[in-house]
Amino acid sequence: MATAPLKIVVLGATGMAGGRIVTEALTRGHHVTATARSHAQAPAHDRLNRLAADVTDPEVLPQAVAGADVVVSALPAQRVLPLLPRLTEQVRTSGVRVAFVGGAGSLRHPDGGRVIDQPGFREEWKPEASAHVELLDQLRTLPDDVDWTFLSPSALFLPGERTTAFRIGGDDLLTDAEGASRISAEDYAIALLDEIETPAHRRRRFTVGY
């Protein structure tokens, strides 16, 4: 049975993840409000509403979220953290579900400990990865009436192919037979839209990988 069209708001809609989430949602017949600071070169679509705005503006979130079924935050975690109290209050009062594009740093590594704590984890990645860790920690303390989910990608998260051949996991880093941990942004978008259409991880983090 096909899912009825949803009204989905994507914050950070022009980034690597956000752009592919918008595309996947439109492909499935949903109505999308794409919010970003700029929409230069964005293609036209009859179910796509572009909102050129800075979500740090207090007036933007109520405008973006109004009438939505689901809000997707594809913003960097360092931008989301200061917005989290206003964002969660907005979705809470509106009865809207919110999905966060998360990070892999807080996943449990097969060798023990978290991914972010592994010896090979690059220093330049740590500020954003640490912000994702903090974001997830804060989400887990929210009241039960805030309906959230947080999707962590695999360690390697880059543009690629839409294969549909991926696995879903929980708090452990997914690796393939060779020990590599990866997911394309296209397949990540599929996993997130699957969750939006058929929720299976309410108030939980999950992950996706090959």
Side-chain angles (χ1 to χ4, degrees):
M1 182 177 178
T3 301
L6 299 170
K7 295 179 180 177
I8 300 173
V9 173
V10 181
L11 308 177
T14 57
M16 180 189 71
R20 285 159 178 82
I21 291 165
V22 169
T23 298
E24 183 67 25
L26 292 172
T27 299
R28 297 183 185 213
H30 300 302
H31 300 271
V32 179
T33 295
T35 302
R37 288 174 174 171
S38 172
H39 289 279
Q41 301 178 347
H45 195 288
D46 60 0
R47 282 182 279 101
L48 175 62
N49 172 41
R50 297 185 206 85
L51 180 60
D54 186 344
V55 293
T56 61
D57 183 335
E59 297 182 1
V60 169
L61 277 178
Q63 179 186 356
V65 173
D69 295 305
V70 180
V71 174
V72 176
S73 171
L75 297 165
Q78 291 176 91
R79 288 191 66 201
V80 175
L81 281 171
L83 294 172
L84 191 60
R86 282 196 287 118
L87 176 57
T88 53
E89 184 59 27
Q90 188 66 45
V91 299
R92 182 183 188 184
T93 57
S94 303
V96 177
R97 192 175 190 215
V98 58
F100 292 88
V101 173
S106 59
L107 291 167
R108 289 191 293 256
H109 194 275
D111 293 338
R114 301 177 303 177
V115 171
I116 193 173
D117 299 322
Q118 299 307 305
F121 199 89
R122 296 183 185 176
E123 286 298 320
E124 62 266 30
W125 296 344
K126 286 189 176 179
E128 179 64 10
S130 297
H132 274 297
V133 171
E134 183 179 350
L135 174 58
L136 180 58
D137 286 345
Q138 290 196 26
L139 291 175
R140 286 169 167 164
T141 69
L142 292 176
D144 291 345
D145 58 353
V146 180
D147 191 0
W148 61 270
T149 192
F150 183 103
L151 177 53
S152 288
S154 290
L156 187 61
F157 182 34
L158 294 171
E161 296 181 7
R162 186 183 188 278
T163 73
T164 74
F166 53 78
R167 294 177 293 145
I168 295 296
D171 290 319
D172 295 303
L173 185 73
L174 293 175
T175 57
D176 62 19
E178 287 72 43
S181 175
R182 58 190 181 86
I183 190 69
S184 72
E186 288 77 5
D187 280 342
Y188 178 97
I190 294 174
L192 188 63
L193 263 294
D194 286 349
E195 174 67 23
I196 286 172
E197 292 178 350
T198 309
H201 301 90
R202 292 188 184 276
R203 294 184 51 76
R204 283 192 288 155
R205 182 260 295 281
F206 68 113
T207 189
V208 57
Y210 297 127

